[in-house]
Amino acid sequence: MTDNSRYEVIVVGGGAAGLSAALVLGRARRRTLVVDAGEPRNAPSAHMQGYLSRDGMSPADFLAVGREEIARYGVELVRDRVTGAGRDGEGFTVRLAQGRTVHARQLVIATGLRDELPDVPGLAERFGRDVVHCPYCHGWEVRDRPTGVLATSPLSVHQALMVTQWSDDVRLFLHEVAESELTDVDLRRLAAARVAVVPGRVTGLVVDDDRLTGVRLVDGTVHDRAVLYAAPRAVPRNDLLVTLGAELRETPFGSYPVIDERGLTTVPGLWAAGNASGFAEQVINSASRGYRAGSAINGELLMADLDAKVQV
């Protein structure tokens, strides 16, 4: 009889990283549970780009295929939320919102992060359409259109410069950045790239026939734009990592766990993959991180079991 509360590995998060780890573990015949709250970061996007052989695929379709694949190898997936976790001897106890308590020898945190959008009326409703955040994700689809970049920090200068590869009509709306915060190097580069710098706070978007047509400033002026890049503030979902005592490192984009090249945190048996391990992991990178963690975990379990037999 199999104890339905005990697994070799529990994966928290059913996105690209979590499903990839689960796929490797399922194929390695490890009893694996994926707990998925159903909150993928890229849900607002109609498609994903840059994933070889999956370029242009719907994120929802991508996840559906992944769930089908892990099921072939006996991986269990539950739609639930983890409400707490703790150490259980050398393993972990995980509590779920629907009342179930499960145990695992190894635990993978693949909960990703959430995007906190700038507080501009109408921006959230168009996010993932003609309000975008990443030129590598969306640049080709919105190429050659009048483009704006919403500055929420001095780092937005870099974003504006990058966007000029996809449009030769780019305006940087300073919004939350004072002109005095731009360095001489910033100004020279912006001039060289022919990016127009527009002072003033953005107070809203102009939308006609369900299309972005303009950006409105606090003084009432409207700049004709068909695309607006707006960088969200990344909010890591690192509560479980903190609870379990993983060491974190501070970055300009939030606190992320200290991990080795495989994804192992400073807590034995606790792993991080995808955007739970870093801000800049695209879907293809997240899948790679999950694969690496899954294969490393299988090796860890194998050696632990062999060492236990040797000691006997």
Side-chain angles (χ1 to χ4, degrees):
M1 296 282 296
T2 300
D3 184 345
N4 289 327
S5 70
R6 295 198 172 273
Y7 298 85
E8 292 183 280
V9 186
I10 294 174
V11 180
V12 185
L19 292 176
S20 183
L23 180 63
V24 175
L25 290 162
R27 287 177 53 82
R29 311 180 77 176
R30 296 293 180 186
R31 188 158 191 260
T32 303
L33 171 69
V34 177
V35 182
D36 181 22
E39 298 174 345
R41 182 188 181 193
N42 60 358
S45 298
H47 44 70
M48 60 184 198
Q49 261 67 47
Y51 196 131
L52 189 64
S53 82
R54 297 293 181 268
D55 188 65
M57 189 176 189
S58 157
D61 290 345
F62 176 80
L63 295 179
V65 171
R67 295 184 197 110
E68 292 175 2
E69 290 179 350
I70 66 171
R72 297 175 197 164
Y73 302 101
V75 174
E76 181 182 346
L77 184 146
V78 295
R79 184 57 59 87
D80 208 336
R81 185 181 302 277
V82 173
T83 58
R87 292 309 302 251
D88 178 13
E90 295 185 356
F92 301 89
T93 295
V94 177
R95 297 180 296 279
L96 306 185
Q98 296 182 19
R100 187 178 175 194
T101 298
V102 288
H103 309 269
R105 297 171 64 187
Q106 305 264 316
L107 182 62
V108 181
I109 306 299
T111 46
L113 55 83
R114 63 180 177 85
D115 290 318
E116 194 171 86
L117 296 171
D119 186 16
V120 174
L123 187 145
E125 290 78 5
R126 306 210 64 78
F127 189 61
R129 301 165 66 189
D130 38 27
V131 174
V132 295
H133 73 290
C134 170
Y136 290 109
C137 302
H138 304 283
W140 177 264
E141 284 66 38
V142 298
R143 66 193 183 279
D144 299 327
R145 300 180 193 174
T147 298
V149 175
L150 186 71
T152 51
S153 81
L155 292 174
S156 299
V157 171
H158 177 74
Q159 186 179 35
L161 295 172
M162 289 291 297
V163 167
T164 60
Q165 286 192 243
W166 287 270
S167 173
D168 59 6
D169 182 1
V170 178
R171 297 179 191 177
L172 176 63
F173 297 98
L174 293 185
H175 191 52
E176 296 180 355
V177 177
E179 290 184 77
S180 60
E181 294 182 73
L182 303 183
T183 67
D184 289 341
V185 172
D186 289 336
L187 293 171
R188 287 198 296 269
R189 285 175 172 169
L190 290 166
R194 294 185 295 177
V195 175
V197 178
V198 183
R201 193 171 186 85
V202 173
T203 58
L205 307 180
V206 180
V207 177
D208 293 315
D209 294 328
D210 199 28
R211 292 183 302 107
L212 177 67
T213 60
V215 173
R216 180 179 291 107
L217 301 186
V218 67
D219 62 4
T221 59
V222 173
H223 291 253
D224 293 341
R225 297 290 91 181
V227 179
L228 180 66
Y229 282 84
R233 185 175 76 90
V235 181
R237 293 187 174 116
N238 57 18
D239 292 353
L240 289 175
L241 293 163
V242 172
T243 297
L244 293 167
E247 182 182 346
L248 301 182
R249 56 187 171 85
E250 294 299 324
T251 78
F253 308 102
S255 300
Y256 295 91
V258 175
I259 57 174
D260 67 12
E261 67 279 0
R262 305 169 301 163
L264 180 64
T265 72
T266 54
V267 176
L270 180 63
W271 305 73
N275 281 134
S277 65
F279 166 76
E281 305 299 335
Q282 305 285 3
V283 177
I284 192 168
N285 305 122
S286 294
S288 173
R289 285 280 193 180
Y291 187 102
R292 185 176 299 182
S295 59
I297 290 167
N298 181 60
E300 292 273 326
L301 292 173
L302 175 63
M303 296 306 164
D305 290 342
L306 290 175
D307 289 345
K309 290 180 180 180
V310 170
Q311 291 176 5
V312 172

